Amino acid sequence: MRHQNSISGKVVMDVGCGTGILSIFCALAGAKRVYAVEASDIAVQANEVVRANHLSDKIVVLHGRVEDVNIEEKVDVIISEWMGYMLLYESMLASVIFARDKWLKPGGLILPSDATLYIAPVTHTERYSESIDFWRNVYGIDMSAMLPLAKQCAFEEPSVETITGENVLTWPYVVKYVDCYTIVAQELESVTAKYRFESMMRAPLHGFAFWFDVEFNGPTLSTSNNLYKVSPGCSASDSNQQETKKRNKPDEALVLSTAPEDAPTHWQQTLLYFYEPIELQQDQVIEGSVTLSQSQENPRFLNIHLEYSSGGRSFVKESVMR
Amino acid sequence: MRHQNSISGKVVMDVGCGTGILSIFCALAGAKRVYAVEASDIAVQANEVVRANHLSDKIVVLHGRVEDVNIEEKVDVIISEWMGYMLLYESMLASVIFARDKWLKPGGLILPSDATLYIAPVTHTERYSESIDFWRNVYGIDMSAMLPLAKQCAFEEPSVETITGENVLTWPYVVKYVDCYTIVAQELESVTAKYRFESMMRAPLHGFAFWFDVEFNGPTLSTSNNLYKVSPGCSASDSNQQETKKRNKPDEALVLSTAPEDAPTHWQQTLLYFYEPIELQQDQVIEGSVTLSQSQENPRFLNIHLEYSSGGRSFVKESVMR
């Protein structure tokens, strides 16, 4: 609705429309026509919802993959709720890229326009204790022999859960900035970022949290985004700083944030816990890198390769989000 | 510990020992020897827990199915935590029966000694609304076309969740009483019970709840249970009344209850919701029958066939607990 000027009278494509709610929002914002594309059988319900709301003359529900459907015109706007857990898990971004390259008019609008995935070090004694320390004394019996298995069960795989800003030890780092106008599918096959944190407090480091935000910028703002993204010598650290700047100007942008300090969402946060916490001093440095890549085992799975070192000790954690 | 007299100096078998905690309790209660039988790989940890607690001379962990293991003696006591959701889902009762028939000395003790599965009619407007009424108005849009699918998603299958005593419309009915000393495996293939409720209040009937309790009676009390169970002409309604009587005398028996009015447990309650609530008047009768049977599709699944009629209308609900 805040982009009504860019939608009214225009042709829209909704990539993965689900129940059709975003398509209906666009129709209510004055779109001339909306192509609501949905591969799953929920397309049947989407069509009924559209009919019940007397919008069949505006919204065309297409039951199929966006890669397979055919329409008679190019579109002015692409909308999509494509984000998965930790942004990229089971994300439909590749379909949005496909739709953009095939159906979007030059100068058209994409909503959301850009997305940023963050990583931050986390302390969470409560969560660690309830999964682990429980076994030290079970009705008076020492079941510490269960600890290795308990750690594996609790912490081998990434965990989607809600933490708060108090669990986060310092400012987050950008793992991946996605400009929906310029990103290409190959960039998503493997994403690597180096990070360097200084803990703001003395606390046990239990692992890392991932979250994301997406922005709904108009085409002009996106162009300026493009500018700084393609400027030479722009390192991960630079883009991190620029991201942080953008987040400090919330008035300028419409942002959906899934950060721990913001209201919880369906996406929550994604946590990667260590088997053993690391005791951090204030200002102690944690550095390393994280790589997210498509699993060979199953292209829907996400491999997470995390390297971290602190106080002269180095660790590697491999995990798979299934 | 309250049965220490029956365990001290005796030989015990723990059917499906898991982490071994019940075996350790028996050793601490003075058992001469405990055979801790566990088919899954958790047997490895059980063995380590036993060793860490210096009980390897008392507890023998046997990694295998109780149907396959071999020991050199008969046992005085069988203990087992065999209960599944709604008592019978993925229950290990058949293994307890096998162990009893093969390994238990005449006059031996089984803990728990008996179990009772209950059914009761339930009202739960909040739960129904959050799953269903949500769709009537989603950000101002009428998405009622989603209702059939929403009802199917929310209510097609049994749901394990915690309700309170306030959700229950009247006294429960016994679906199945299990005397662990006398039950035979064939009885578990299909369990049918007729019921007749009178609603204590005017309220929408949203479905039925199942829960169970298990008792830890010594051999003497169990014999008296046997007596009334085998008395001729003992209908489901009679056994229901006798169950109710037993539940009114908590001092006599050690009971683990998973009833809505008692403290929540891992088992919670199992709910079977209707797609449409039925408006009940006070004292209105709901009657019908319920059949629980092993699924042909997968022997671990539980088929639930529920017939109910009220106010002259009859319904059937078929569902599968997977």
Side-chain angles (χ1 to χ4, degrees):
Chain A
M1 288 299 176
R2 287 226 229 150
H3 283 290
Q4 189 153 16
N5 284 344
S6 314
I7 291 171
S8 185
K10 298 292 171 62
V11 178
V12 177
M13 177 177 277
D14 181 354
V15 178
C17 72
T19 62
I21 186 139
L22 297 185
S23 294
I24 291 174
F25 287 158
C26 289
L28 297 179
K32 186 169 76 176
R33 196 157 30 256
V34 183
Y35 295 101
V37 184
E38 174 57 48
S40 86
D41 287 348
I42 194 82
V44 175
Q45 275 75 33
N47 204 34
E48 287 174 31
V49 170
V50 166
R51 222 180 325 148
N53 286 277
H54 312 293
L55 292 168
S56 300
D57 58 330
K58 300 239 165 165
I59 302 175
V60 182
V61 177
L62 299 168
H63 189 172
R65 293 169 2 115
V66 74
E67 290 80 357
D68 301 327
V69 300
N70 215 343
I71 61 176
E72 300 287 306
E73 58 188 329
K74 293 240 168 178
V75 305
D76 303 290
V77 182
I78 288 176
I79 58 164
S80 182
E81 191 285 88
W82 54 264
M83 302 85 74
Y85 293 124
M86 62 185 297
L87 192 62
L88 299 178
Y89 174 69
E90 291 197 341
S91 128
M92 293 192 308
L93 182 52
S95 294
V96 174
I97 294 170
F98 180 95
R100 176 197 69 196
D101 293 345
K102 185 163 182 185
W103 300 110
L104 189 66
K105 288 182 194 167
L109 177 66
I110 307 180
L111 293 177
S113 55
D114 46 275
T116 311
L117 175 65
Y118 300 92
I119 186 173
V122 159
T123 188
H124 203 340
T125 299
E126 223 171 65
R127 166 73 160 85
Y128 190 85
S129 288
E130 75 190 19
S131 298
I132 301 305
D133 293 333
F134 167 83
W135 295 102
R136 300 189 197 279
N137 180 334
V138 183
Y139 297 103
I141 294 163
D142 173 13
M143 301 198 85
S144 304
M146 290 294 296
L147 287 176
L149 184 63
K151 287 173 185 172
Q152 193 188 338
C153 290
F155 304 139
E156 185 177 25
E157 298 191 358
S159 165
V160 175
E161 58 189 83
T162 296
I163 59 170
T164 72
E166 290 175 14
N167 296 119
V168 179
L169 287 169
T170 186
W171 300 109
Y173 226 82
V174 171
V175 176
K176 179 68 181 171
Y177 171 78
V178 172
D179 180 333
C180 294
Y181 292 93
T182 57
I183 190 166
V184 294
Q186 292 91 302
E187 280 181 66
L188 299 172
E189 286 166 14
S190 180
V191 169
T192 296
K194 291 188 175 176
Y195 61 78
R196 184 179 189 280
F197 297 110
E198 287 181 26
S199 178
M200 283 183 174
M201 59 194 108
R202 182 181 172 176
L205 171 68
H206 288 107
F208 289 94
F210 296 87
W211 67 83
F212 65 89
D213 55 34
V214 293
E215 300 191 22
F216 298 78
N217 298 316
T220 323
L221 245 172
S222 297
T223 310
S224 83
N225 281 349
N226 291 354
L227 279 180
Y228 75 64
K229 286 307 288 179
V230 296
S231 67
C234 175
S235 72
S237 154
D238 291 340
S239 82
N240 186 40
Q241 294 213 319
Q242 281 159 346
E243 250 354 86
T244 309
K245 250 187 266 157
K246 279 207 295 179
R247 301 190 72 225
N248 290 339
K249 300 181 288 182
D251 291 352
E252 284 184 18
L254 265 170
V255 179
L256 167 63
S257 165
T258 70
E261 70 265 26
D262 293 313
T265 70
H266 153 76
W267 291 277
Q268 304 183 73
Q269 289 84 41
T270 300
L271 276 290
L272 217 57
Y273 288 105
F274 309 152
Y275 287 8
E276 302 294 339
I278 298 173
E279 293 298 330
L280 291 183
Q281 305 303 316
Q282 194 180 324
D283 300 328
Q284 187 171 332
V285 170
I286 318 129
E287 53 189 344
S289 67
V290 59
T291 299
L292 310 178
S293 54
Q294 251 183 29
S295 163
Q296 302 294 321
E297 180 190 349
N298 182 330
R300 294 176 65 167
F301 295 169
L302 191 66
N303 284 340
I304 308 173
H305 174 92
L306 184 70
E307 298 185 11
Y308 54 104
S309 64
S310 189
R313 294 190 303 158
S314 293
F315 309 88
V316 174
K317 184 174 173 78
E318 302 274 8
S319 56
V320 184
M321 193 152 181
R322 289 164 211 278
Chain B
M1 288 301 175
R2 289 226 228 150
H3 283 290
Q4 190 154 15
N5 283 344
S6 313
I7 291 171
S8 184
K10 298 293 171 62
V11 179
V12 177
M13 176 176 277
D14 182 354
V15 177
C17 73
T19 62
I21 187 137
L22 297 184
S23 294
I24 291 174
F25 287 159
C26 289
L28 297 179
K32 186 169 76 175
R33 197 156 30 256
V34 184
Y35 296 101
V37 184
E38 174 58 48
S40 86
D41 288 349
I42 195 81
V44 175
Q45 276 74 32
N47 204 34
E48 286 173 32
V49 170
V50 165
R51 222 179 326 147
N53 287 277
H54 313 291
L55 291 168
S56 300
D57 59 329
K58 299 240 167 166
I59 302 174
V60 183
V61 177
L62 299 168
H63 189 172
R65 293 169 1 114
V66 74
E67 290 81 355
D68 300 327
V69 299
N70 215 342
I71 61 176
E72 301 286 305
E73 59 188 328
K74 294 242 168 177
V75 305
D76 304 289
V77 182
I78 288 176
I79 58 165
S80 182
E81 192 284 90
W82 54 265
M83 301 85 73
Y85 293 125
M86 62 185 296
L87 192 62
L88 299 178
Y89 174 68
E90 291 196 342
S91 127
M92 292 193 308
L93 181 53
S95 294
V96 174
I97 293 169
F98 180 95
R100 176 197 70 196
D101 294 345
K102 185 163 182 185
W103 299 111
L104 189 65
K105 287 182 194 168
L109 177 66
I110 307 180
L111 294 177
S113 54
D114 47 274
T116 310
L117 176 64
Y118 300 92
I119 186 173
V122 158
T123 188
H124 204 339
T125 299
E126 223 170 67
R127 167 73 161 85
Y128 190 85
S129 287
E130 75 190 19
S131 299
I132 300 306
D133 292 333
F134 167 83
W135 295 102
R136 300 190 196 279
N137 181 334
V138 183
Y139 297 102
I141 295 163
D142 172 12
M143 300 198 86
S144 303
M146 290 293 296
L147 287 176
L149 184 63
K151 286 173 185 173
Q152 192 187 339
C153 288
F155 303 140
E156 184 177 28
E157 299 191 355
S159 166
V160 175
E161 57 189 83
T162 296
I163 60 171
T164 72
E166 289 175 13
N167 297 117
V168 180
L169 286 169
T170 185
W171 300 108
Y173 225 84
V174 171
V175 176
K176 178 69 182 171
Y177 170 78
V178 172
D179 179 333
C180 294
Y181 291 92
T182 58
I183 190 165
V184 294
Q186 291 92 301
E187 280 181 66
L188 299 173
E189 286 166 14
S190 180
V191 168
T192 296
K194 292 187 173 176
Y195 60 80
R196 184 178 189 282
F197 297 110
E198 286 180 28
S199 179
M200 283 182 174
M201 59 194 108
R202 182 180 172 176
L205 171 67
H206 288 107
F208 289 94
F210 296 87
W211 67 83
F212 65 90
D213 55 33
V214 294
E215 299 191 22
F216 298 79
N217 297 316
T220 323
L221 245 174
S222 298
T223 309
S224 84
N225 282 350
N226 291 353
L227 279 180
Y228 75 67
K229 287 306 289 179
V230 297
S231 68
C234 174
S235 73
S237 153
D238 291 340
S239 83
N240 185 41
Q241 294 213 320
Q242 280 160 349
E243 250 354 88
T244 308
K245 250 186 265 156
K246 279 207 294 178
R247 301 188 73 225
N248 289 339
K249 299 182 287 182
D251 291 352
E252 285 184 18
L254 266 170
V255 178
L256 168 62
S257 166
T258 70
E261 69 265 25
D262 294 314
T265 70
H266 153 77
W267 291 278
Q268 305 182 71
Q269 289 84 42
T270 299
L271 276 289
L272 218 57
Y273 288 105
F274 308 153
Y275 287 8
E276 302 294 341
I278 297 174
E279 292 299 329
L280 291 183
Q281 305 303 316
Q282 195 180 322
D283 301 328
Q284 188 171 332
V285 170
I286 319 128
E287 53 190 344
S289 67
V290 59
T291 299
L292 310 178
S293 54
Q294 251 183 27
S295 163
Q296 302 293 321
E297 179 190 351
N298 182 330
R300 293 175 66 166
F301 296 169
L302 192 66
N303 285 339
I304 308 174
H305 173 92
L306 184 70
E307 299 184 12
Y308 53 104
S309 64
S310 190
R313 293 190 303 158
S314 292
F315 308 88
V316 174
K317 184 174 173 79
E318 301 275 7
S319 56
V320 184
M321 193 150 181
R322 289 166 212 277

